Amino acid sequence: AKAQGRNRSQFFTREINDSLAQRLQMEQALRQALANDELSLNYQPQYRLSDGALIGCEVLLRWHSAELGPVGPDRFVPLAEETGMIGAIGHWVLRSACLQAALWRAQGLEIPVAVNVSACQLTPGLVNEVAGALAETRLPAGLLTLELTETVLMQRQDETRALLHELRALGVGLAMDDFGTGYSSLAYLKRFPIDKLKIDRAFVHGLPADGDGCAIIRAVLEVARHLGLATVAEGIETPEQHAFLNGIGCEEGQGYLFARPLPVDAMTDLLLAARAQ
Ligand code: C2E
Ligand code: CA
Ligand code: CA
Ligand code: CA
């Protein structure tokens, strides 16, 4: 039994070492990613559910590491947050997204862009960073939305509220991402200057069969209506989900049913096609 216990602990130790080594390797590779030009942006179209009009897009970060191949943001964004690299990476995302939106606009392909902002980026410096990106690219602030997650509302509430008001004063939109997955109560919403709720795809997934999912989404839409907030559903994959969400008054949506996140050239083609209609 003793020998078995030792084997098992060696096994676990090796596993832990492997994952630590992997993490360290990813961390080192990520430190080079910006300089090596390994980061890029994809754009996922967002549609008005009632008539299918293309009304915006979400900017999603991609990393193709020379050493590790493609790595998803669910894996490297948390690492970037833990190591502080999210500051530089987030700055690059913001500037690149504003630049692309300004380029599209110059071609007559005006479209609002929504950029994900991690809770760690929410510092007083962010206001200047956003103002700087808009000024440098000459993008009208109304074409930029920042997507924040619920966790930001629970930390340092007074500072956060002040910061969000400053961001709003610049003219950018503020969306609450992954709504329903965190621990914030609905009461939080009233205290912060948010324009839009994004309903997490976890609730969309089982629609329309999943009774709990339906009830949660109906409740969220009701609250949003009372507070004057726009609503976007994410992860729409089936025509049934689309019809159900439209039927209960959700205004906007995105998901594989309409389009996957697209590289810039494909997104440009889509915008050109939408203009030609
Ligand atoms: P998110 O902000 O909730 O983004 C939506 C995710 O759902 C994206 O995953 C998107 O590709 C995926 N998705 C879209 N439609 C569907 C669908 O119909 N079905 C399914 N199953 N999935 C769908 P992605 O691109 O892997 O991004 C994952 C997360 O990484 C994002 O979740 C966001 O939290 C984070 N992230 C991505 N880009 C950035 C960024 O530039 N900055 C920060 N801070 N976080 C980012
Ligand atoms: Ca998002
Ligand atoms: Ca989301
Ligand atoms: Ca998410």
Short mmCIF file of all heavy atoms in Angstrom, two decimals, residues 20-85:
data_model
loop_
_atom_site.label_atom_id
_atom_site.label_comp_id
_atom_site.label_asym_id
_atom_site.label_seq_id
_atom_site.Cartn_x
_atom_site.Cartn_y
_atom_site.Cartn_z
N LEU A 20 2.90 22.93 -14.90
CA LEU A 20 3.68 24.13 -14.59
C LEU A 20 4.64 24.46 -15.73
O LEU A 20 4.78 25.62 -16.12
CB LEU A 20 4.48 23.95 -13.29
CG LEU A 20 3.73 24.22 -11.99
CD1 LEU A 20 4.63 23.91 -10.80
CD2 LEU A 20 3.24 25.65 -11.94
N ALA A 21 5.28 23.42 -16.26
CA ALA A 21 6.21 23.63 -17.37
C ALA A 21 5.47 24.17 -18.58
O ALA A 21 5.94 25.08 -19.26
CB ALA A 21 6.92 22.32 -17.71
N GLN A 22 4.28 23.60 -18.82
CA GLN A 22 3.47 24.06 -19.95
C GLN A 22 3.08 25.52 -19.81
O GLN A 22 3.13 26.30 -20.74
CB GLN A 22 2.18 23.23 -20.04
CG GLN A 22 2.29 22.03 -20.93
CD GLN A 22 1.05 21.17 -20.85
OE1 GLN A 22 0.01 21.60 -20.33
NE2 GLN A 22 1.14 19.95 -21.36
N ARG A 23 2.70 25.84 -18.58
CA ARG A 23 2.28 27.20 -18.30
C ARG A 23 3.43 28.18 -18.52
O ARG A 23 3.28 29.25 -19.10
CB ARG A 23 1.79 27.28 -16.85
CG ARG A 23 1.05 28.54 -16.53
CD ARG A 23 0.92 28.68 -15.03
NE ARG A 23 1.38 30.00 -14.65
CZ ARG A 23 0.55 30.98 -14.31
NH1 ARG A 23 -0.73 30.77 -14.27
NH2 ARG A 23 1.02 32.17 -14.02
N LEU A 24 4.61 27.76 -18.03
CA LEU A 24 5.79 28.61 -18.17
C LEU A 24 6.15 28.79 -19.64
O LEU A 24 6.49 29.87 -20.10
CB LEU A 24 6.95 27.96 -17.41
CG LEU A 24 8.03 28.91 -16.93
CD1 LEU A 24 7.43 29.90 -15.95
CD2 LEU A 24 9.17 28.14 -16.28
N GLN A 25 6.01 27.70 -20.40
CA GLN A 25 6.31 27.75 -21.83
C GLN A 25 5.33 28.70 -22.53
O GLN A 25 5.74 29.53 -23.35
CB GLN A 25 6.19 26.34 -22.43
CG GLN A 25 6.68 26.26 -23.86
CD GLN A 25 6.31 24.95 -24.52
OE1 GLN A 25 5.37 24.26 -24.08
NE2 GLN A 25 7.04 24.60 -25.57
N MET A 26 4.05 28.59 -22.15
CA MET A 26 3.05 29.46 -22.77
C MET A 26 3.30 30.92 -22.38
O MET A 26 3.18 31.82 -23.21
CB MET A 26 1.64 29.03 -22.36
CG MET A 26 0.57 29.73 -23.17
SD MET A 26 -1.11 29.29 -22.72
CE MET A 26 -1.24 27.64 -23.36
N GLU A 27 3.68 31.11 -21.12
CA GLU A 27 3.94 32.47 -20.65
C GLU A 27 5.11 33.09 -21.42
O GLU A 27 5.03 34.25 -21.86
CB GLU A 27 4.23 32.43 -19.14
CG GLU A 27 4.40 33.82 -18.55
CD GLU A 27 4.68 33.76 -17.04
OE1 GLU A 27 4.18 32.83 -16.37
OE2 GLU A 27 5.41 34.64 -16.56
N GLN A 28 6.17 32.30 -21.61
CA GLN A 28 7.32 32.83 -22.35
C GLN A 28 6.96 33.12 -23.80
O GLN A 28 7.36 34.14 -24.36
CB GLN A 28 8.51 31.86 -22.26
CG GLN A 28 9.31 32.08 -20.99
CD GLN A 28 10.15 30.87 -20.60
OE1 GLN A 28 10.08 29.82 -21.26
NE2 GLN A 28 10.94 31.01 -19.54
N ALA A 29 6.20 32.22 -24.39
CA ALA A 29 5.78 32.42 -25.79
C ALA A 29 4.88 33.66 -25.91
O ALA A 29 5.01 34.45 -26.85
CB ALA A 29 5.05 31.18 -26.30
N LEU A 30 3.99 33.84 -24.93
CA LEU A 30 3.07 34.97 -24.98
C LEU A 30 3.81 36.30 -24.84
O LEU A 30 3.42 37.31 -25.43
CB LEU A 30 2.00 34.82 -23.88
CG LEU A 30 0.80 35.78 -23.93
CD1 LEU A 30 0.05 35.68 -25.25
CD2 LEU A 30 -0.16 35.49 -22.77
N ARG A 31 4.93 36.28 -24.08
CA ARG A 31 5.72 37.50 -23.93
C ARG A 31 6.28 37.98 -25.27
O ARG A 31 6.52 39.16 -25.47
CB ARG A 31 6.88 37.29 -22.95
CG ARG A 31 6.42 37.25 -21.52
CD ARG A 31 7.52 37.40 -20.50
NE ARG A 31 6.97 37.10 -19.18
CZ ARG A 31 6.21 37.91 -18.46
NH1 ARG A 31 5.94 39.12 -18.90
NH2 ARG A 31 5.72 37.53 -17.30
N GLN A 32 6.46 37.04 -26.21
CA GLN A 32 7.02 37.39 -27.52
C GLN A 32 5.91 37.65 -28.55
O GLN A 32 6.21 38.08 -29.66
CB GLN A 32 7.90 36.24 -28.06
CG GLN A 32 8.96 35.73 -27.09
CD GLN A 32 9.88 36.85 -26.66
OE1 GLN A 32 10.29 37.65 -27.47
NE2 GLN A 32 10.18 36.91 -25.36
N ALA A 33 4.69 37.33 -28.18
CA ALA A 33 3.62 37.29 -29.20
C ALA A 33 3.40 38.63 -29.89
O ALA A 33 3.27 38.68 -31.12
CB ALA A 33 2.31 36.79 -28.57
N LEU A 34 3.38 39.69 -29.11
CA LEU A 34 3.16 41.02 -29.70
C LEU A 34 4.31 41.40 -30.63
O LEU A 34 4.09 41.79 -31.77
CB LEU A 34 3.04 42.08 -28.60
CG LEU A 34 1.64 42.43 -28.11
CD1 LEU A 34 1.72 43.44 -26.98
CD2 LEU A 34 0.78 42.97 -29.25
N ALA A 35 5.55 41.26 -30.11
CA ALA A 35 6.73 41.63 -30.89
C ALA A 35 6.83 40.78 -32.16
O ALA A 35 7.25 41.27 -33.21
CB ALA A 35 7.99 41.46 -30.04
N ASN A 36 6.43 39.49 -32.06
CA ASN A 36 6.53 38.59 -33.22
C ASN A 36 5.31 38.66 -34.13
O ASN A 36 5.20 37.86 -35.06
CB ASN A 36 6.72 37.14 -32.75
CG ASN A 36 8.06 36.92 -32.11
OD1 ASN A 36 8.94 37.80 -32.13
ND2 ASN A 36 8.24 35.75 -31.50
N ASP A 37 4.40 39.59 -33.83
CA ASP A 37 3.25 39.78 -34.71
C ASP A 37 2.37 38.54 -34.79
O ASP A 37 1.84 38.22 -35.86
CB ASP A 37 3.78 40.13 -36.12
CG ASP A 37 2.85 41.10 -36.82
OD1 ASP A 37 1.99 41.68 -36.15
OD2 ASP A 37 2.98 41.24 -38.05
N GLU A 38 2.23 37.83 -33.67
CA GLU A 38 1.47 36.58 -33.68
C GLU A 38 -0.01 36.78 -33.30
O GLU A 38 -0.79 35.85 -33.36
CB GLU A 38 2.10 35.57 -32.70
CG GLU A 38 3.49 35.11 -33.16
CD GLU A 38 4.17 34.22 -32.13
OE1 GLU A 38 3.67 34.09 -31.00
OE2 GLU A 38 5.23 33.66 -32.47
N LEU A 39 -0.35 37.99 -32.88
CA LEU A 39 -1.74 38.24 -32.49
C LEU A 39 -2.51 38.80 -33.67
O LEU A 39 -1.96 39.53 -34.50
CB LEU A 39 -1.80 39.23 -31.31
CG LEU A 39 -1.12 38.79 -30.01
CD1 LEU A 39 -1.26 39.87 -28.95
CD2 LEU A 39 -1.69 37.47 -29.52
N SER A 40 -3.78 38.46 -33.75
CA SER A 40 -4.63 39.04 -34.79
C SER A 40 -6.05 39.16 -34.24
O SER A 40 -6.35 38.64 -33.16
CB SER A 40 -4.62 38.18 -36.05
OG SER A 40 -5.17 36.91 -35.78
N LEU A 41 -6.90 39.84 -34.99
CA LEU A 41 -8.28 40.02 -34.54
C LEU A 41 -9.24 39.37 -35.52
O LEU A 41 -9.05 39.44 -36.73
CB LEU A 41 -8.60 41.52 -34.44
CG LEU A 41 -7.76 42.33 -33.45
CD1 LEU A 41 -8.17 43.80 -33.47
CD2 LEU A 41 -7.87 41.76 -32.04
N ASN A 42 -10.24 38.70 -34.96
CA ASN A 42 -11.37 38.23 -35.75
C ASN A 42 -12.59 39.08 -35.42
O ASN A 42 -12.61 39.75 -34.38
CB ASN A 42 -11.68 36.76 -35.43
CG ASN A 42 -10.88 35.80 -36.29
OD1 ASN A 42 -10.06 36.22 -37.11
ND2 ASN A 42 -11.09 34.52 -36.09
N TYR A 43 -13.57 39.05 -36.30
CA TYR A 43 -14.76 39.89 -36.13
C TYR A 43 -15.99 39.02 -36.27
O TYR A 43 -16.18 38.37 -37.31
CB TYR A 43 -14.75 41.00 -37.18
CG TYR A 43 -13.50 41.85 -37.10
CD1 TYR A 43 -12.33 41.46 -37.74
CD2 TYR A 43 -13.48 43.00 -36.31
CE1 TYR A 43 -11.17 42.22 -37.62
CE2 TYR A 43 -12.33 43.76 -36.19
CZ TYR A 43 -11.18 43.37 -36.85
OH TYR A 43 -10.03 44.10 -36.72
N GLN A 44 -16.82 38.97 -35.24
CA GLN A 44 -18.06 38.20 -35.36
C GLN A 44 -19.24 39.15 -35.57
O GLN A 44 -19.53 40.00 -34.72
CB GLN A 44 -18.32 37.32 -34.13
CG GLN A 44 -19.54 36.42 -34.39
CD GLN A 44 -19.82 35.42 -33.29
OE1 GLN A 44 -19.65 35.71 -32.12
NE2 GLN A 44 -20.27 34.23 -33.70
N PRO A 45 -19.93 39.01 -36.71
CA PRO A 45 -21.06 39.88 -37.02
C PRO A 45 -22.18 39.77 -35.98
O PRO A 45 -22.43 38.70 -35.44
CB PRO A 45 -21.55 39.38 -38.38
CG PRO A 45 -20.42 38.60 -38.94
CD PRO A 45 -19.68 38.03 -37.78
N GLN A 46 -22.83 40.89 -35.74
CA GLN A 46 -24.01 40.94 -34.86
C GLN A 46 -25.18 41.45 -35.68
O GLN A 46 -25.04 42.38 -36.47
CB GLN A 46 -23.74 41.90 -33.69
CG GLN A 46 -22.55 41.47 -32.83
CD GLN A 46 -22.19 42.46 -31.75
OE1 GLN A 46 -22.15 43.66 -32.01
NE2 GLN A 46 -21.91 41.99 -30.56
N TYR A 47 -26.34 40.83 -35.46
CA TYR A 47 -27.51 41.12 -36.31
C TYR A 47 -28.72 41.56 -35.48
O TYR A 47 -28.87 41.16 -34.33
CB TYR A 47 -27.90 39.86 -37.09
CG TYR A 47 -26.84 39.43 -38.07
CD1 TYR A 47 -25.82 38.56 -37.69
CD2 TYR A 47 -26.84 39.92 -39.38
CE1 TYR A 47 -24.82 38.17 -38.58
CE2 TYR A 47 -25.85 39.54 -40.28
CZ TYR A 47 -24.85 38.68 -39.88
OH TYR A 47 -23.87 38.30 -40.76
N ARG A 48 -29.55 42.38 -36.11
CA ARG A 48 -30.86 42.67 -35.53
C ARG A 48 -31.74 41.46 -35.80
O ARG A 48 -31.86 41.03 -36.96
CB ARG A 48 -31.44 43.94 -36.17
CG ARG A 48 -32.69 44.46 -35.50
CD ARG A 48 -32.91 45.93 -35.82
NE ARG A 48 -33.00 46.11 -37.27
CZ ARG A 48 -32.53 47.18 -37.94
NH1 ARG A 48 -31.97 48.17 -37.29
NH2 ARG A 48 -32.63 47.24 -39.25
N LEU A 49 -32.33 40.91 -34.75
CA LEU A 49 -33.04 39.64 -34.91
C LEU A 49 -34.33 39.77 -35.69
O LEU A 49 -34.76 38.84 -36.37
CB LEU A 49 -33.33 39.01 -33.53
CG LEU A 49 -32.08 38.57 -32.75
CD1 LEU A 49 -32.49 37.95 -31.40
CD2 LEU A 49 -31.23 37.58 -33.55
N SER A 50 -34.97 40.95 -35.65
CA SER A 50 -36.27 41.09 -36.31
C SER A 50 -36.15 41.05 -37.83
O SER A 50 -37.02 40.50 -38.50
CB SER A 50 -36.95 42.38 -35.86
OG SER A 50 -36.14 43.49 -36.18
N ASP A 51 -35.08 41.64 -38.40
CA ASP A 51 -35.00 41.68 -39.87
C ASP A 51 -33.65 41.23 -40.43
O ASP A 51 -33.42 41.32 -41.63
CB ASP A 51 -35.33 43.10 -40.37
CG ASP A 51 -34.31 44.12 -39.89
OD1 ASP A 51 -33.38 43.73 -39.15
OD2 ASP A 51 -34.43 45.30 -40.25
N GLY A 52 -32.75 40.77 -39.57
CA GLY A 52 -31.49 40.24 -40.05
C GLY A 52 -30.48 41.28 -40.51
O GLY A 52 -29.48 40.94 -41.16
N ALA A 53 -30.72 42.55 -40.17
CA ALA A 53 -29.76 43.59 -40.58
C ALA A 53 -28.46 43.44 -39.79
O ALA A 53 -28.47 43.16 -38.59
CB ALA A 53 -30.37 44.98 -40.34
N LEU A 54 -27.34 43.63 -40.51
CA LEU A 54 -26.01 43.59 -39.87
C LEU A 54 -25.81 44.91 -39.13
O LEU A 54 -25.84 45.98 -39.75
CB LEU A 54 -24.95 43.42 -40.97
CG LEU A 54 -23.48 43.41 -40.56
CD1 LEU A 54 -23.18 42.27 -39.60
CD2 LEU A 54 -22.60 43.27 -41.81
N ILE A 55 -25.63 44.84 -37.82
CA ILE A 55 -25.61 46.10 -37.07
C ILE A 55 -24.35 46.31 -36.24
O ILE A 55 -24.21 47.34 -35.58
CB ILE A 55 -26.82 46.20 -36.12
CG1 ILE A 55 -26.93 44.92 -35.30
CG2 ILE A 55 -28.10 46.48 -36.88
CD1 ILE A 55 -27.85 45.07 -34.13
N GLY A 56 -23.43 45.36 -36.29
CA GLY A 56 -22.21 45.55 -35.50
C GLY A 56 -21.35 44.31 -35.57
O GLY A 56 -21.67 43.36 -36.30
N CYS A 57 -20.23 44.33 -34.85
CA CYS A 57 -19.42 43.12 -34.76
C CYS A 57 -18.63 43.12 -33.45
O CYS A 57 -18.32 44.18 -32.90
CB CYS A 57 -18.47 42.98 -35.95
SG CYS A 57 -17.28 44.31 -36.13
N GLU A 58 -18.36 41.91 -32.96
CA GLU A 58 -17.53 41.77 -31.77
C GLU A 58 -16.12 41.40 -32.19
O GLU A 58 -15.92 40.55 -33.05
CB GLU A 58 -18.09 40.69 -30.83
CG GLU A 58 -17.18 40.49 -29.60
CD GLU A 58 -17.72 39.50 -28.58
OE1 GLU A 58 -18.79 38.90 -28.81
OE2 GLU A 58 -17.06 39.33 -27.54
N VAL A 59 -15.16 42.07 -31.58
CA VAL A 59 -13.75 41.85 -31.88
C VAL A 59 -13.23 40.73 -30.98
O VAL A 59 -13.36 40.82 -29.76
CB VAL A 59 -12.96 43.15 -31.62
CG1 VAL A 59 -11.47 42.93 -31.85
CG2 VAL A 59 -13.50 44.28 -32.49
N LEU A 60 -12.68 39.67 -31.57
CA LEU A 60 -12.19 38.54 -30.78
C LEU A 60 -10.72 38.27 -31.10
O LEU A 60 -10.34 38.13 -32.26
CB LEU A 60 -13.06 37.31 -31.03
CG LEU A 60 -14.50 37.45 -30.51
CD1 LEU A 60 -15.46 36.48 -31.19
CD2 LEU A 60 -14.54 37.28 -28.98
N LEU A 61 -9.94 38.23 -30.06
CA LEU A 61 -8.49 38.11 -30.19
C LEU A 61 -8.08 36.69 -30.55
O LEU A 61 -8.64 35.73 -30.03
CB LEU A 61 -7.87 38.53 -28.84
CG LEU A 61 -6.36 38.58 -28.70
CD1 LEU A 61 -5.73 39.50 -29.73
CD2 LEU A 61 -6.00 39.03 -27.28
N ARG A 62 -7.10 36.57 -31.43
CA ARG A 62 -6.55 35.27 -31.81
C ARG A 62 -5.04 35.29 -31.66
O ARG A 62 -4.39 36.31 -31.92
CB ARG A 62 -6.90 34.96 -33.28
CG ARG A 62 -8.40 34.77 -33.52
CD ARG A 62 -8.90 33.51 -32.84
NE ARG A 62 -10.33 33.30 -32.96
CZ ARG A 62 -11.22 33.60 -32.02
NH1 ARG A 62 -10.83 34.18 -30.89
NH2 ARG A 62 -12.49 33.31 -32.18
N TRP A 63 -4.49 34.14 -31.24
CA TRP A 63 -3.04 34.02 -31.10
C TRP A 63 -2.58 32.79 -31.87
O TRP A 63 -3.00 31.68 -31.56
CB TRP A 63 -2.64 33.89 -29.63
CG TRP A 63 -1.16 33.70 -29.40
CD1 TRP A 63 -0.13 34.10 -30.21
CD2 TRP A 63 -0.54 33.05 -28.29
NE1 TRP A 63 1.08 33.76 -29.67
CE2 TRP A 63 0.85 33.11 -28.48
CE3 TRP A 63 -1.05 32.43 -27.13
CZ2 TRP A 63 1.77 32.56 -27.56
CZ3 TRP A 63 -0.15 31.91 -26.22
CH2 TRP A 63 1.24 31.97 -26.43
N HIS A 64 -1.76 33.00 -32.88
CA HIS A 64 -1.13 31.88 -33.56
C HIS A 64 0.35 31.90 -33.19
O HIS A 64 1.13 32.67 -33.73
CB HIS A 64 -1.33 31.93 -35.07
CG HIS A 64 -1.05 30.61 -35.72
ND1 HIS A 64 -2.04 29.81 -36.24
CD2 HIS A 64 0.11 29.93 -35.84
CE1 HIS A 64 -1.49 28.70 -36.68
NE2 HIS A 64 -0.20 28.74 -36.45
N SER A 65 0.69 31.03 -32.23
CA SER A 65 2.07 30.99 -31.72
C SER A 65 2.95 30.17 -32.65
O SER A 65 2.56 29.08 -33.08
CB SER A 65 2.07 30.38 -30.32
OG SER A 65 3.36 29.95 -29.97
N ALA A 66 4.14 30.71 -32.98
CA ALA A 66 5.08 29.97 -33.82
C ALA A 66 5.45 28.66 -33.12
O ALA A 66 5.65 27.63 -33.76
CB ALA A 66 6.33 30.81 -34.08
N GLU A 67 5.50 28.71 -31.80
CA GLU A 67 5.97 27.56 -31.03
C GLU A 67 4.83 26.59 -30.70
O GLU A 67 5.00 25.37 -30.77
CB GLU A 67 6.56 28.09 -29.73
CG GLU A 67 7.60 27.23 -29.10
CD GLU A 67 8.09 27.90 -27.82
OE1 GLU A 67 8.27 29.14 -27.81
OE2 GLU A 67 8.26 27.17 -26.83
N LEU A 68 3.65 27.12 -30.34
CA LEU A 68 2.57 26.28 -29.81
C LEU A 68 1.41 26.10 -30.77
O LEU A 68 0.48 25.37 -30.46
CB LEU A 68 2.04 26.90 -28.51
CG LEU A 68 3.06 27.19 -27.41
CD1 LEU A 68 2.44 28.06 -26.31
CD2 LEU A 68 3.58 25.89 -26.83
N GLY A 69 1.45 26.77 -31.91
CA GLY A 69 0.30 26.72 -32.83
C GLY A 69 -0.78 27.64 -32.33
O GLY A 69 -0.54 28.52 -31.50
N PRO A 70 -2.03 27.46 -32.83
CA PRO A 70 -3.10 28.34 -32.38
C PRO A 70 -3.49 28.05 -30.92
O PRO A 70 -3.63 26.90 -30.54
CB PRO A 70 -4.26 27.99 -33.33
CG PRO A 70 -3.90 26.71 -33.99
CD PRO A 70 -2.45 26.47 -33.82
N VAL A 71 -3.64 29.10 -30.15
CA VAL A 71 -4.05 28.97 -28.74
C VAL A 71 -5.30 29.84 -28.56
O VAL A 71 -5.30 31.00 -28.97
CB VAL A 71 -2.94 29.45 -27.78
CG1 VAL A 71 -3.34 29.20 -26.32
CG2 VAL A 71 -1.60 28.78 -28.10
N GLY A 72 -6.34 29.30 -27.97
CA GLY A 72 -7.60 30.03 -27.81
C GLY A 72 -7.52 31.07 -26.71
O GLY A 72 -6.78 30.89 -25.75
N PRO A 73 -8.32 32.14 -26.85
CA PRO A 73 -8.31 33.19 -25.82
C PRO A 73 -8.77 32.70 -24.45
O PRO A 73 -8.34 33.24 -23.43
CB PRO A 73 -9.27 34.26 -26.36
CG PRO A 73 -10.06 33.58 -27.42
CD PRO A 73 -9.23 32.46 -27.94
N ASP A 74 -9.60 31.65 -24.42
CA ASP A 74 -10.00 31.11 -23.12
C ASP A 74 -8.79 30.60 -22.35
O ASP A 74 -8.82 30.51 -21.12
CB ASP A 74 -11.02 29.97 -23.29
CG ASP A 74 -12.43 30.51 -23.51
OD1 ASP A 74 -12.70 31.62 -23.05
OD2 ASP A 74 -13.22 29.81 -24.16
N ARG A 75 -7.72 30.21 -23.07
CA ARG A 75 -6.51 29.73 -22.40
C ARG A 75 -5.52 30.84 -22.14
O ARG A 75 -4.93 30.92 -21.07
CB ARG A 75 -5.85 28.62 -23.23
CG ARG A 75 -6.67 27.34 -23.21
CD ARG A 75 -6.05 26.27 -24.08
NE ARG A 75 -4.76 25.83 -23.56
CZ ARG A 75 -3.80 25.30 -24.31
NH1 ARG A 75 -3.98 25.15 -25.61
NH2 ARG A 75 -2.66 24.93 -23.78
N PHE A 76 -5.30 31.74 -23.13
CA PHE A 76 -4.21 32.69 -22.92
C PHE A 76 -4.64 34.02 -22.29
O PHE A 76 -3.81 34.70 -21.70
CB PHE A 76 -3.39 32.91 -24.20
CG PHE A 76 -4.05 33.72 -25.27
CD1 PHE A 76 -4.04 35.11 -25.21
CD2 PHE A 76 -4.65 33.10 -26.35
CE1 PHE A 76 -4.62 35.86 -26.21
CE2 PHE A 76 -5.25 33.84 -27.34
CZ PHE A 76 -5.24 35.22 -27.27
N VAL A 77 -5.91 34.39 -22.41
CA VAL A 77 -6.33 35.65 -21.79
C VAL A 77 -6.21 35.59 -20.25
O VAL A 77 -5.65 36.50 -19.64
CB VAL A 77 -7.74 36.09 -22.24
CG1 VAL A 77 -8.29 37.22 -21.36
CG2 VAL A 77 -7.72 36.54 -23.71
N PRO A 78 -6.67 34.49 -19.61
CA PRO A 78 -6.46 34.40 -18.15
C PRO A 78 -4.98 34.48 -17.77
O PRO A 78 -4.62 35.11 -16.78
CB PRO A 78 -7.03 33.02 -17.80
CG PRO A 78 -8.05 32.74 -18.85
CD PRO A 78 -7.50 33.37 -20.11
N LEU A 79 -4.11 33.84 -18.57
CA LEU A 79 -2.67 33.91 -18.30
C LEU A 79 -2.16 35.34 -18.45
O LEU A 79 -1.36 35.82 -17.64
CB LEU A 79 -1.94 32.97 -19.28
CG LEU A 79 -0.44 32.82 -19.09
CD1 LEU A 79 -0.12 32.19 -17.75
CD2 LEU A 79 0.15 31.97 -20.23
N ALA A 80 -2.63 36.01 -19.48
CA ALA A 80 -2.23 37.41 -19.68
C ALA A 80 -2.69 38.28 -18.51
O ALA A 80 -2.00 39.22 -18.11
CB ALA A 80 -2.80 37.94 -21.00
N GLU A 81 -3.86 37.95 -17.95
CA GLU A 81 -4.37 38.71 -16.81
C GLU A 81 -3.52 38.46 -15.57
O GLU A 81 -3.15 39.39 -14.86
CB GLU A 81 -5.83 38.33 -16.53
CG GLU A 81 -6.79 38.83 -17.62
CD GLU A 81 -8.22 38.32 -17.46
OE1 GLU A 81 -8.43 37.32 -16.74
OE2 GLU A 81 -9.11 38.91 -18.06
N GLU A 82 -3.18 37.19 -15.33
CA GLU A 82 -2.40 36.85 -14.13
C GLU A 82 -1.01 37.44 -14.17
O GLU A 82 -0.43 37.75 -13.13
CB GLU A 82 -2.29 35.33 -13.98
CG GLU A 82 -3.57 34.66 -13.52
CD GLU A 82 -3.55 33.17 -13.81
OE1 GLU A 82 -2.46 32.55 -13.74
OE2 GLU A 82 -4.62 32.62 -14.12
N THR A 83 -0.42 37.57 -15.36
CA THR A 83 0.96 38.01 -15.47
C THR A 83 1.08 39.50 -15.77
O THR A 83 2.18 40.01 -15.91
CB THR A 83 1.67 37.25 -16.62
OG1 THR A 83 0.89 37.44 -17.81
CG2 THR A 83 1.77 35.76 -16.31
N GLY A 84 -0.06 40.17 -15.90
CA GLY A 84 -0.01 41.60 -16.18
C GLY A 84 0.18 41.94 -17.65
O GLY A 84 0.15 43.11 -18.03
N MET A 85 0.34 40.91 -18.49
CA MET A 85 0.56 41.18 -19.92
C MET A 85 -0.71 41.73 -20.58
O MET A 85 -0.64 42.28 -21.68
CB MET A 85 0.97 39.90 -20.64
CG MET A 85 2.40 39.48 -20.37
SD MET A 85 2.84 38.09 -21.44
CE MET A 85 2.73 36.72 -20.31
#
